[in-house]
Each structure stands twice: as C-alpha cells, then as structure tokens.
Amino acid sequence: MIALSLAEIAEIVGGQTHDIPDQAATVSGPVVIDSRKVTPGCLFVAFAGERADGHDYAERAVEAGAALVLATRPVGVPAIVVDDVVAALGALSRAVVARLGATVVALTGSAGKTSTKDLIAQLLERKGPTVYPEGNLNNEIGLPLTALRATDETQHLVLEMGARYIGDIRYLTGLVPPRIGLVLNVGSAHIGEFGGKEQIAQAKGEMVESLPEDGVAVLNADDPLVRAMASRTKARVVLFGEGADADVRGENVHLTDDGRPAFRLHTPTGCSDVTMRLYGEHHVSNALAAAAVAHELGLSADEIAEALSDAGTLSRWRMEVTERPDGVTFVNDAYNANPESMKAALRALAAMGKGRRTWAVLGLMAELGGASLAEHDAVGRLAVRLNVSKLVAVGGREASWLQLGAYNEGSWGEESVHVSDAQAAVDLLRRELRPGDVVLVKASRSVGLEQVVTALLENATEGEVAGR
C-alpha cells in the first residue's frame, strides 16, 4: 500500500483513534487480516468471524510489527475504531486507488474468472508492474485487499469481481471504478440465488454500466446475453470470440494431441499463432478475453501470442496437472464447479486421455437451486457421451444424481459408481488405478475433493512427481 499517516487513514475511514501516541506515524506495509501474515509497518484489520475474532489477535499483531489496527472496538494498542470494518476497508481502497495512476481492469463472469485473471496478469506484466488477486479474492473483502497491494509503481491493477446477488458488482465497481471492464459469460453459477440466467445477466452487466465514457467494455461476442450488454454502457465496446465480427478473435481452434488449445489469434493490428500450456478448449475464450484487454493496453499480436503460449496456472487446483511416477496423470480442478466449468473439464479430460483410461471423480455443484437435479444429471450423461472410462460420483444426494445421469445415458454398472465421501474415492482409486490412467477431480469448494489428489500423491518421494 502507499504510505499513509495514521491521521490520514482515520480521516478516510471516518474512524476514531485510540491508543495512538504519534498521529504522524505511517502505515507503510500491506493490509492483512491474518495476524500470522503481519509484517513491519502493516495495517492489521480485525474481523469478527464465525470461528475467530481478529480483535483477540490485535496485540499480537502489533507486537509482530503492525503499525495500526482497524477495529470495531478499542483493543489496547494503536487502533482506528469504526462501526463497520468492511465498509472502512472499502473506503480505504477507494481513496488509495484514486491517488494512483494505475489502469484498473475488472472482470466478471459465471465461469473462468480466475483463470482469465491469471492470463491477463501474465500478459500485462510484460508492460509494467501489475497487481492482481491471489486466488479468487473477488468479494467486498478480497477486492479491497487486492487493491490495497498497489503502490506508486503499479501500472495495472487487475480485479476479479464475483456476485451472488444483483447489486454486488455495482457495489464493487463503486469501491474501485474500472476503466476496462470485461464480462466473460453468463452461465448457471449461483442460479439458485439469482433465479435465472436473465437475472445473472442483469447482475454481470453492472460491470459495463460502471464504465466511464472514455472506458472500454470488453464483451464476449459468442454469448448472446453478454453481447447484449453493449447497449448498457457509455464506454467503447470491444468484442472477443470466434465469430468473424469479433474485434479480437481466434481461428483454426483445435487441441494438440495432449489436450492443449491452439489457435490463430487475430487482433485489429495483426495476427499470430498461439499454442497454450494450459489444458482444455475452454481456455480459448479465456485467452481471447485476455488478449482483447492486452491489445487495448498496447501489446502487439506477437507479444500477446508469445505471452499466452508461455502462460501457466497461477492459482491452485484449477486444471492443475501432475504426473505420478507410475504414469498416472491427475487433473486437479477441485477448487470449484458449476455446470459450464464441469462440462468444460470433462471435455478436456476426454481430449487429454485419448488412447488412455480416463476417470472423472466428481462431486456436487452447489447453489443450483431447482436446477440442481437436471444439471447434475446432464453432467453424468455427458461423461458417458465423451466415453470417460469411469465416473466416480462422490458425496450425498446431489452427487448421486451424477451417477443417475450416467446410468440413464447407458452406463449400467462398471462405468459409473457412487461413493460416500473423499476417503471412499481414494480407497477405490488405490485399488483400481493403472499406470497411464488420467484422473480428473472436480467439485464445488465445499466438497474438498483436492484431498483425493493429495492422498494419491502422498506416497511419491520428493522429486518423483513432475508437475506439468
């Protein structure tokens, strides 16, 4: 964060100072919410959570070097006390970013946000210092924490914005107004909360409504609900996709023999070939979105293609590919799941596993409301249509619907199975995996299916497992 005096911070957040001997002292370090991550000069924000209350760790944070605590009550150490810590954190991020000269890029969408954010970051870092979220910090707490990592040297600030309700993105863009706003897609994630895709589109479109007249709205030309958002913005519109009228488009899209996407990138100023290190054709749309943003910020087609071809996965458990010494390949995509990302991962598994035995170890997709049965059934059916060798549905009732879909599509026994939990899946795989198999693991975050991959790799000696 840029250096601010304690008095300046108190004025920005509208708080009262307590136990501060020197109002001219400064916060010169990052903003943290975990006392274990305190560094000298940082600001420690005390949240009262369900499991722990940060106020109880305020003294420890100051002893470790924190210059100040932001809290809702006096804590016996230098603190600014406010009524609402979340609102104060947002106000601080808004004020800090307003003082910077960085270009703010914000993105949203039902699927692919974090992967696309990682691609954009790797592209823009070629132009100058870039700050972007760690993982998927995309809510009213995570977004300010990311923004407050920016310094005077930051040229690009990339922000991921999630939404569970209409108004969420409007609130986030009010905290840190973007100049470039990207909408990836409108899918079924959180459809249980929203009630339908039209409502999801209404929420995601708040991104482009926030843009200034001299801003840029980057929209997916291949998604009709996203493309229609062009009418909701004063900003200039740039389209990306595979259609002929997209400003940034991909042609000759195909997968390499090992399942990596390749295509010819077309931009308004040139063309170049891309072969990605990531797995799965769904990354093409993510890459084109990132390319459109990068083109707007001055990268040439050749620079974009080179960066996309070099780009890797920055966030854990998102199509994270690891090969065991015996040749079993694990695709750990266990961070989260919705119908669109689940289907994309299955298609990637099918492409990667040509000529090999493939396993889809899948758990529930949460927050689908009344669409849950149909969506789980459809994923199970798709696994059969893609000739996945074995579907392992893990968990309770919703997971059983995956197996039911496979059964109804024609998998009547050996090709699909329903097990109770992650340990049961581990036991099954330990018995039945053979060298050369490819295993996809994916479910909503609450299921914790990354434990399956961890358990099946734990016996590998150091240096034997080669991440790809």
Side-chain angles (χ1 to χ4, degrees):
M1 188 175 81
I2 62 174
L4 293 172
S5 72
L6 308 194
E8 285 179 297
I9 295 174
E11 181 179 0
I12 289 170
V13 303
Q16 299 295 317
T17 59
H18 288 265
D19 302 300
I20 295 178
D22 182 8
Q23 298 267 343
T26 61
V27 169
S28 57
V31 179
V32 299
I33 61 175
D34 185 337
S35 62
R36 295 168 296 183
K37 297 182 179 179
V38 165
T39 58
C42 79
L43 169 62
F44 175 66
V45 182
F47 283 100
E50 294 181 2
R51 299 182 179 178
D53 186 342
H55 295 80
D56 297 336
Y57 298 87
E59 184 176 355
R60 181 186 304 177
V62 172
E63 289 174 353
L68 180 68
V69 177
L70 184 62
T72 58
R73 63 176 185 265
V75 286
V77 293
I80 294 173
V81 175
V82 295
D83 293 333
D84 186 333
V85 173
V86 174
L89 187 64
L92 184 60
S93 68
R94 180 167 51 243
V96 167
V97 173
R99 301 187 186 193
L100 302 174
T103 298
V104 178
V105 178
L107 70 151
T108 192
S110 294
K113 292 187 295 296
T114 300
S115 296
T116 304
K117 170 266 299 181
D118 288 348
L119 291 173
I120 292 172
Q122 291 173 86
L123 286 165
L124 297 188
E125 282 182 329
R126 298 196 171 212
K127 292 289 288 185
T130 300
V131 170
Y132 56 93
E134 298 174 349
N136 69 333
L137 295 176
N138 61 16
N139 62 12
E140 68 276 10
I141 297 173
L143 183 138
L145 288 175
T146 299
L148 289 168
R149 288 173 40 223
T151 67
D152 291 323
E153 289 73 39
T154 301
Q155 293 186 22
H156 313 108
L157 176 58
V158 181
L159 299 172
E160 180 182 332
M161 296 186 179
R164 290 178 180 271
Y165 304 101
I166 290 174
D168 285 354
I169 292 175
R170 184 180 302 114
Y171 173 79
L172 295 175
T173 57
L175 295 184
V176 186
R179 189 177 76 80
I180 298 178
L182 163 63
V183 184
L184 293 169
N185 44 56
V186 172
S188 302
H190 309 304
I191 199 168
E193 280 80 6
F194 284 107
K197 283 193 174 184
E198 291 73 18
Q199 289 84 353
I200 295 173
Q202 179 64 33
K204 300 300 184 186
E206 293 169 3
M207 172 70 75
V208 300
E209 291 175 348
S210 75
L211 297 171
E213 288 188 16
D214 63 347
V216 182
V218 180
L219 301 177
N220 186 348
D222 299 333
D223 186 322
L225 289 174
V226 175
R227 187 170 187 143
M229 294 176 191
S231 64
R232 295 169 58 183
T233 185
K234 299 173 292 186
R236 178 167 55 88
V237 174
V238 172
L239 298 176
F240 69 92
E242 296 184 37
D245 63 341
D247 301 291
V248 174
R249 67 184 188 277
E251 292 185 352
N252 189 29
V253 175
H254 61 283
L255 294 177
T256 63
D257 290 342
D258 59 352
R260 302 172 193 256
F263 57 94
R264 177 77 169 167
L265 171 68
H266 288 256
T267 76
T269 57
C271 307
S272 196
D273 291 322
V274 176
T275 300
M276 301 184 74
R277 292 171 53 200
L278 305 178
Y279 292 85
E281 192 170 338
H282 59 290
H283 280 301
V284 173
S285 183
N286 299 340
L288 294 174
V293 171
H295 180 265
E296 287 299 315
L297 292 174
L299 272 73
S300 69
D302 286 343
E303 289 174 318
I304 294 169
E306 181 182 11
L308 288 175
S309 297
D310 289 343
T313 301
L314 302 182
S315 303
R316 295 190 67 191
W317 307 333
R318 292 168 174 87
M319 296 300 287
E320 189 177 89
V321 179
T322 308
E323 186 171 311
R324 209 165 63 175
D326 62 357
V328 174
T329 299
F330 292 94
V331 184
N332 188 346
D333 200 30
Y335 191 86
N336 216 335
N338 57 56
E340 289 76 24
S341 67
M342 190 76 91
K343 292 169 185 175
L346 282 173
R347 292 188 179 99
L349 172 66
M352 294 174 63
K354 288 180 181 177
R356 304 167 70 180
R357 204 167 61 144
T358 53
W359 295 72
V361 182
L362 309 179
L364 74 87
M365 300 175 287
E367 300 176 342
L368 295 179
S372 186
L373 172 56
E375 294 291 359
H376 284 87
D377 178 89
V379 168
R381 290 175 181 271
L382 180 62
V384 176
R385 292 171 189 166
L386 292 172
N387 293 318
V388 172
S389 304
K390 186 131 186 177
L391 168 66
V392 181
V394 184
R397 183 179 62 167
E398 290 91 342
S400 73
W401 294 338
L402 292 164
Q403 198 272 338
L404 178 64
Y407 179 87
N408 289 335
E409 189 64 26
S411 173
W412 297 305
E414 292 186 0
E415 300 92 347
S416 64
V417 63
H418 176 221
V419 299
S420 59
D421 54 26
Q423 185 57 54
V426 170
D427 294 341
L428 172 68
L429 290 164
R430 278 182 173 152
R431 290 194 306 269
E432 298 192 17
L433 281 180
R434 298 200 301 257
D437 287 357
V438 184
V439 183
L440 167 69
V441 178
K442 187 169 180 64
S444 282
R445 186 73 196 93
S446 58
V447 183
L449 275 195
E450 73 279 355
Q451 302 169 49
V452 173
V453 178
T454 300
L456 292 169
L457 291 175
E458 66 183 359
N459 293 328
T461 60
E462 185 175 354
E464 287 183 324
V465 176
R468 295 199 301 180

